Amino acid sequence: MNSRRHFLTGAGAIGGAVAAASVSRVAMAALPEPVIQDKPDTAPPLAPPDGRPYNPVVTLNGWTLPWRMNAGVKEFHLVAEPVVREMAPGFKAHLWGYNGQSPGPTIEVVEGDRVRIFVTNRLPEHTTIHWHGQRLPNGMDGVGGLTQKHIPPGKTFVYEFEARRPGTFMYHPHADEMVQMAIGMMGFWVTHPKGRHPLIEPVDRDFVFLMSSFDIEPGSYTPKVMTMLDFNLFTFNSRIFPGIASMNVRRGDRVRIRAGNLTMTNHPLHLHGHEFTVTGTDGGPTPKAARWPEVTTDVAVGQMRQVEFVADEEGDWAFHCHKSHHTMNAMGHDVPTMIGVDHRQVVKEITDLIPDYMVMGERGMSDMAEMEMPLPDNTAPMMAGQGPFGSLEMGGMFTVLKVRRDQPAGDYRNPDWFRHPAGTVAWEFTGQLPPTPRGQGAGSGSAPPRRPAAKKDVEVRVRKPGAAHGTHDH
């Protein structure tokens, strides 16, 4: 993490002329130091140095924003600015975010805290911040033109309110949202309970991340901001697998995962190997009578979900969005399906003219993961990531829950791949297969007899190029 001094003199000064139009030195002297973080690593939990105690969260590939105490008020400083976000090793995007990152740093407070957030705008246009899900005075709600004036470039505005209820929240602009949210402006907010709460149990590990989506063409750096549905990158905290950190826990830990959705569609989040309960939303903790075991929970647009479980099964367990195209990286939307078509000769002729031409595999898309095809610069492979048994053929919204009996309490380091006990991994059968059972007709407990096909039934119609009329039907 870096101080304001490094931000103004080093790599953080991305805003150029906009940054030069910042607030005066006198005004800056009254501001908290804006801490800047430009690394994509998962930072360890930030233990509260003062104020009410709480069990801090861990932000996947992110960090928690430090504060200062000023006459009993927690003061934070957010800097809205252009950032460069590494989405995966070798693939970077030019985004907008806060304090050097997209998403911005997580803000952690305690129920009843008085908070004051200074927001400095180093963007080339005006902005605001809406504190999603918070109970606060109307003039602090952050809707530009409705509850406040917009924050012009180079200016600093102050938000101040009491964190009135515990829960899982987020922050994002309510100004030029089509651009600012589509290009990465968002952050997480956690309000911890001030004491024992009947609906909020203590946990050993508390992970947070935001889901966002981008439309970045292969070889490009800047997302398209007018896309409404056809996004090609789906991310946890603006990271795509295999660049997303794993969640590393000790066997027997009670684990909480908080996820917020700021994409343009819903995401059914699915955990392998364990059952969880939904214990909270952005509306607050869920009543115990409304909880039941799940392995998948759907998170709609603008929603937060908080799930909890006991990590009692050792191993490397997948955690991902269950929409299969959300676990892939940048791909075209108009790629034809070529499964079953022998197009080797056609591809050879095309590649003689266009050396970098690629076509969908004729046996399925696993070919794309196995073949290390040449890609344009700054392009993430469509399906990537290596596991202990080969290619995982995953990307986008996918990570791994790593449960280990010997993971020390409070240790979030990656324990490497799981070592399976002997006899607990699926294996190849090399014996003689039994004969395939065949039906004996109706009433025998097997499949019913097949209906004779009508003479006029047509199963497949193939259209072939022809010289006379363009096509012939067969």
Side-chain angles (χ1 to χ4, degrees):
M1 296 185 185
N2 304 308
S3 68
R4 171 173 57 89
R5 185 174 296 106
H6 178 271
F7 168 66
L8 292 176
T9 59
I14 301 173
V18 177
S22 61
V23 295
S24 70
R25 290 184 179 180
V26 175
M28 283 294 284
L31 291 172
E33 289 282 310
V35 180
I36 307 300
Q37 172 69 281
D38 54 10
K39 294 182 179 179
D41 304 330
T42 299
L46 178 63
D50 47 35
R52 296 185 179 96
Y54 61 83
N55 185 34
V57 303
V58 170
T59 305
L60 290 186
N61 298 105
W63 54 295
T64 289
L65 184 64
W67 68 87
R68 75 177 181 193
M69 295 296 293
N70 186 358
V73 179
K74 281 186 177 177
E75 292 187 336
F76 300 85
H77 191 175
L78 285 172
V79 179
E81 60 176 346
V83 303
V84 176
R85 175 63 161 173
E86 183 189 76
M87 288 191 163
F91 175 49
K92 296 181 179 180
H94 293 172
L95 308 177
W96 291 359
Y98 301 94
N99 297 55
Q101 289 276 22
S102 168
T106 297
I107 294 177
E108 292 186 76
V109 300
V110 178
E111 176 188 12
D113 279 352
R114 186 80 180 171
V115 296
R116 184 179 298 129
I117 306 106
F118 296 84
V119 179
T120 299
N121 181 11
R122 299 194 186 280
L123 300 172
E125 68 168 355
H126 65 232
T127 190
T128 68
I129 295 190
H130 166 59
W131 313 100
H132 183 108
Q134 301 279 5
R135 289 291 190 97
L136 36 60
N138 184 241
M140 295 292 171
D141 195 45
V143 181
L146 177 66
T147 66
Q148 69 165 86
K149 293 181 179 180
H150 293 93
I151 308 174
K155 300 296 183 180
T156 297
F157 275 37
V158 181
Y159 296 86
E160 185 169 341
F161 53 90
E162 179 185 326
R164 292 165 55 181
R165 62 190 181 93
T168 300
F169 311 107
M170 51 188 168
Y171 60 88
H172 60 79
H174 241 298
D176 194 12
E177 291 182 50
M178 187 71 178
V179 170
Q180 296 187 13
M181 291 178 64
I183 205 168
M185 297 192 71
M186 59 194 70
F188 218 96
W189 178 300
V190 174
T191 300
H192 298 277
K194 62 183 177 182
R196 293 190 62 85
H197 193 287
L199 298 178
I200 303 176
E201 296 184 33
V203 295
D204 300 293
R205 315 259 177 167
D206 201 336
F207 297 98
V208 305
F209 64 86
L210 285 170
M211 293 176 280
S212 53
S213 55
F214 300 93
D215 184 6
I216 305 178
E217 291 186 344
S220 299
Y221 287 81
T222 304
K224 296 179 180 180
V225 297
M226 298 302 290
T227 301
M228 289 185 284
L229 294 176
D230 288 336
F231 296 93
N232 60 11
L233 291 168
F234 295 89
T235 73
F236 290 167
N237 274 353
S238 298
R239 294 280 288 187
I240 55 177
F241 186 80
I244 300 173
S246 57
M247 294 180 286
N248 311 314
V249 308
R250 182 183 179 89
R251 190 180 70 173
D253 278 352
R254 184 168 184 83
V255 179
R256 179 183 292 132
I257 301 175
R258 311 176 194 239
N261 181 6
L262 284 175
T263 72
M264 298 287 276
T265 187
N266 64 306
H267 298 284
L269 292 179
H270 174 58
L271 175 63
H272 292 209
H274 297 79
E275 304 84 32
F276 58 72
T277 57
V278 176
T279 59
T281 71
D282 36 352
T286 55
K288 290 187 176 181
R291 303 176 187 179
W292 59 82
E294 290 270 20
V295 297
T296 305
T297 185
D298 198 32
V299 189
V301 179
Q303 283 186 336
M304 315 289 290
R305 284 294 179 269
Q306 174 181 301
V307 304
E308 295 178 24
F309 60 96
V310 175
D312 53 6
E313 293 287 346
E314 275 198 292
D316 295 332
W317 303 104
F319 178 79
H320 60 95
C321 175
H322 218 291
K323 289 186 174 181
S324 58
H325 60 295
H326 293 182
T327 55
M328 303 178 67
N329 292 329
M331 62 179 293
H333 304 292
D334 299 318
V335 178
T337 299
M338 302 297 288
I339 294 174
V341 177
D342 186 351
H343 51 266
R344 288 172 293 183
Q345 183 60 33
V346 175
V347 172
K348 181 180 183 302
E349 294 176 2
I350 294 176
T351 52
D352 289 341
L353 299 173
I354 310 173
D356 292 336
Y357 175 76
M358 291 187 298
V359 69
M360 185 70 69
E362 64 189 66
R363 295 173 297 170
M365 295 183 68
S366 61
D367 291 351
M368 309 291 282
E370 295 172 1
M371 298 169 59
E372 296 184 0
M373 296 181 176
L375 296 171
D377 290 342
N378 201 58
T379 300
M382 188 165 59
M383 299 187 297
Q386 291 292 317
F389 298 100
S391 174
L392 282 171
E393 301 177 354
M394 285 288 176
M397 292 178 168
F398 179 95
T399 188
V400 178
L401 171 73
K402 295 191 173 185
V403 183
R404 301 290 188 273
R405 70 179 66 196
D406 54 355
Q407 186 83 359
D411 186 350
Y412 290 86
R413 289 175 297 179
N414 191 332
D416 208 351
W417 298 113
F418 182 59
R419 296 182 180 180
H420 301 82
T424 64
V425 177
W427 71 94
E428 179 186 1
F429 177 72
T430 57
Q432 184 175 359
L433 294 174
T436 303
R438 300 191 179 277
Q440 301 298 320
S444 65
S446 58
R450 297 177 60 188
R451 178 180 63 86
K455 291 183 179 180
K456 294 184 178 181
D457 283 357
V458 177
E459 293 185 3
V460 178
R461 171 167 290 180
V462 181
R463 301 173 67 87
K464 297 183 178 180
H469 303 290
T471 61
H472 292 297
D473 293 344
H474 298 274

Short mmCIF file of all heavy atoms in Angstrom, two decimals, residues 295-316:
data_model
loop_
_atom_site.label_atom_id
_atom_site.label_comp_id
_atom_site.label_asym_id
_atom_site.label_seq_id
_atom_site.Cartn_x
_atom_site.Cartn_y
_atom_site.Cartn_z
N VAL A 295 -26.89 -25.75 -2.09
CA VAL A 295 -25.56 -25.82 -2.68
C VAL A 295 -25.41 -24.77 -3.78
O VAL A 295 -24.32 -24.56 -4.30
CB VAL A 295 -25.22 -27.22 -3.24
CG1 VAL A 295 -25.21 -28.25 -2.11
CG2 VAL A 295 -26.19 -27.63 -4.34
N THR A 296 -26.52 -24.12 -4.15
CA THR A 296 -26.52 -23.06 -5.14
C THR A 296 -27.48 -21.97 -4.69
O THR A 296 -28.58 -22.27 -4.23
CB THR A 296 -26.97 -23.58 -6.53
OG1 THR A 296 -26.14 -24.68 -6.91
CG2 THR A 296 -26.86 -22.49 -7.58
N THR A 297 -27.05 -20.71 -4.81
CA THR A 297 -27.95 -19.60 -4.54
C THR A 297 -27.84 -18.60 -5.67
O THR A 297 -26.75 -18.30 -6.15
CB THR A 297 -27.64 -18.92 -3.19
OG1 THR A 297 -28.63 -17.92 -2.93
CG2 THR A 297 -26.26 -18.28 -3.17
N ASP A 298 -28.98 -18.10 -6.13
CA ASP A 298 -29.00 -17.17 -7.25
C ASP A 298 -28.88 -15.74 -6.72
O ASP A 298 -29.62 -15.34 -5.81
CB ASP A 298 -30.30 -17.34 -8.03
CG ASP A 298 -30.21 -16.73 -9.42
OD1 ASP A 298 -29.12 -16.74 -10.00
OD2 ASP A 298 -31.24 -16.24 -9.93
N VAL A 299 -27.96 -14.99 -7.30
CA VAL A 299 -27.75 -13.60 -6.90
C VAL A 299 -28.19 -12.73 -8.06
O VAL A 299 -27.54 -12.72 -9.12
CB VAL A 299 -26.28 -13.33 -6.54
CG1 VAL A 299 -26.13 -11.95 -5.92
CG2 VAL A 299 -25.75 -14.40 -5.60
N ALA A 300 -29.29 -12.03 -7.89
CA ALA A 300 -29.82 -11.19 -8.97
C ALA A 300 -29.05 -9.88 -9.06
O ALA A 300 -28.23 -9.54 -8.21
CB ALA A 300 -31.31 -10.94 -8.74
N VAL A 301 -29.35 -9.12 -10.10
CA VAL A 301 -28.67 -7.85 -10.34
C VAL A 301 -28.91 -6.89 -9.18
O VAL A 301 -30.05 -6.70 -8.74
CB VAL A 301 -29.15 -7.23 -11.65
CG1 VAL A 301 -28.45 -5.89 -11.91
CG2 VAL A 301 -28.90 -8.19 -12.82
N GLY A 302 -27.85 -6.31 -8.66
CA GLY A 302 -27.96 -5.35 -7.56
C GLY A 302 -28.15 -5.98 -6.20
O GLY A 302 -28.34 -5.26 -5.22
N GLN A 303 -28.06 -7.31 -6.10
CA GLN A 303 -28.28 -7.99 -4.83
C GLN A 303 -26.96 -8.40 -4.18
O GLN A 303 -25.93 -8.53 -4.83
CB GLN A 303 -29.13 -9.25 -5.03
CG GLN A 303 -30.61 -9.00 -5.22
CD GLN A 303 -31.39 -10.29 -5.25
OE1 GLN A 303 -30.88 -11.36 -5.56
NE2 GLN A 303 -32.68 -10.22 -4.94
N MET A 304 -27.03 -8.60 -2.87
CA MET A 304 -25.94 -9.19 -2.10
C MET A 304 -26.44 -10.50 -1.50
O MET A 304 -27.62 -10.61 -1.14
CB MET A 304 -25.52 -8.26 -0.96
CG MET A 304 -25.37 -6.79 -1.31
SD MET A 304 -23.97 -6.45 -2.35
CE MET A 304 -22.62 -6.72 -1.22
N ARG A 305 -25.56 -11.46 -1.41
CA ARG A 305 -25.88 -12.72 -0.74
C ARG A 305 -24.74 -13.07 0.21
O ARG A 305 -23.56 -12.94 -0.14
CB ARG A 305 -26.10 -13.85 -1.72
CG ARG A 305 -27.44 -13.82 -2.44
CD ARG A 305 -28.60 -14.04 -1.48
NE ARG A 305 -29.88 -13.99 -2.16
CZ ARG A 305 -30.61 -12.90 -2.31
NH1 ARG A 305 -30.15 -11.74 -1.84
NH2 ARG A 305 -31.78 -12.93 -2.91
N GLN A 306 -25.13 -13.50 1.40
CA GLN A 306 -24.17 -13.90 2.43
C GLN A 306 -24.48 -15.34 2.78
O GLN A 306 -25.58 -15.66 3.24
CB GLN A 306 -24.34 -12.99 3.65
CG GLN A 306 -23.53 -13.35 4.87
CD GLN A 306 -23.83 -12.37 6.00
OE1 GLN A 306 -23.65 -11.18 5.88
NE2 GLN A 306 -24.34 -12.91 7.11
N VAL A 307 -23.52 -16.27 2.52
CA VAL A 307 -23.75 -17.69 2.79
C VAL A 307 -22.74 -18.17 3.82
O VAL A 307 -21.63 -17.63 3.92
CB VAL A 307 -23.66 -18.53 1.50
CG1 VAL A 307 -24.63 -18.01 0.44
CG2 VAL A 307 -22.24 -18.57 0.94
N GLU A 308 -23.13 -19.19 4.58
CA GLU A 308 -22.25 -19.72 5.63
C GLU A 308 -22.32 -21.25 5.64
O GLU A 308 -23.36 -21.84 5.33
CB GLU A 308 -22.65 -19.17 7.00
CG GLU A 308 -22.45 -17.67 7.13
CD GLU A 308 -22.88 -17.12 8.48
OE1 GLU A 308 -22.89 -17.90 9.46
OE2 GLU A 308 -23.20 -15.92 8.56
N PHE A 309 -21.19 -21.86 6.01
CA PHE A 309 -21.11 -23.32 6.09
C PHE A 309 -19.91 -23.68 6.95
O PHE A 309 -19.03 -22.85 7.23
CB PHE A 309 -20.97 -23.94 4.70
CG PHE A 309 -19.74 -23.49 3.94
CD1 PHE A 309 -18.58 -24.24 3.95
CD2 PHE A 309 -19.75 -22.30 3.22
CE1 PHE A 309 -17.45 -23.83 3.27
CE2 PHE A 309 -18.63 -21.87 2.53
CZ PHE A 309 -17.47 -22.64 2.56
N VAL A 310 -19.88 -24.94 7.37
CA VAL A 310 -18.72 -25.48 8.08
C VAL A 310 -17.89 -26.27 7.07
O VAL A 310 -18.40 -27.19 6.43
CB VAL A 310 -19.14 -26.38 9.26
CG1 VAL A 310 -17.91 -27.02 9.90
CG2 VAL A 310 -19.91 -25.57 10.29
N ALA A 311 -16.63 -25.89 6.90
CA ALA A 311 -15.75 -26.56 5.94
C ALA A 311 -15.23 -27.86 6.56
O ALA A 311 -14.15 -27.90 7.14
CB ALA A 311 -14.59 -25.64 5.56
N ASP A 312 -16.03 -28.93 6.45
CA ASP A 312 -15.69 -30.17 7.12
C ASP A 312 -15.24 -31.28 6.17
O ASP A 312 -15.04 -32.42 6.59
CB ASP A 312 -16.86 -30.67 7.97
CG ASP A 312 -18.15 -30.78 7.17
OD1 ASP A 312 -18.12 -30.58 5.94
OD2 ASP A 312 -19.20 -31.07 7.79
N GLU A 313 -15.08 -30.95 4.88
CA GLU A 313 -14.61 -31.94 3.91
C GLU A 313 -13.30 -31.46 3.30
O GLU A 313 -13.28 -30.43 2.62
CB GLU A 313 -15.65 -32.17 2.81
CG GLU A 313 -16.93 -32.83 3.27
CD GLU A 313 -16.76 -34.31 3.56
OE1 GLU A 313 -15.72 -34.89 3.16
OE2 GLU A 313 -17.66 -34.90 4.17
N GLU A 314 -12.22 -32.19 3.53
CA GLU A 314 -10.93 -31.80 2.96
C GLU A 314 -10.94 -31.93 1.44
O GLU A 314 -11.62 -32.80 0.87
CB GLU A 314 -9.81 -32.66 3.53
CG GLU A 314 -9.25 -32.17 4.84
CD GLU A 314 -7.90 -32.80 5.14
OE1 GLU A 314 -7.85 -34.01 5.38
OE2 GLU A 314 -6.90 -32.05 5.11
N GLY A 315 -10.17 -31.07 0.79
CA GLY A 315 -10.03 -31.18 -0.65
C GLY A 315 -10.00 -29.82 -1.32
O GLY A 315 -9.98 -28.78 -0.66
N ASP A 316 -9.96 -29.85 -2.65
CA ASP A 316 -10.03 -28.65 -3.47
C ASP A 316 -11.39 -28.62 -4.14
O ASP A 316 -11.66 -29.37 -5.09
CB ASP A 316 -8.92 -28.68 -4.54
CG ASP A 316 -7.53 -28.62 -3.93
OD1 ASP A 316 -7.38 -28.05 -2.84
OD2 ASP A 316 -6.58 -29.15 -4.55
#
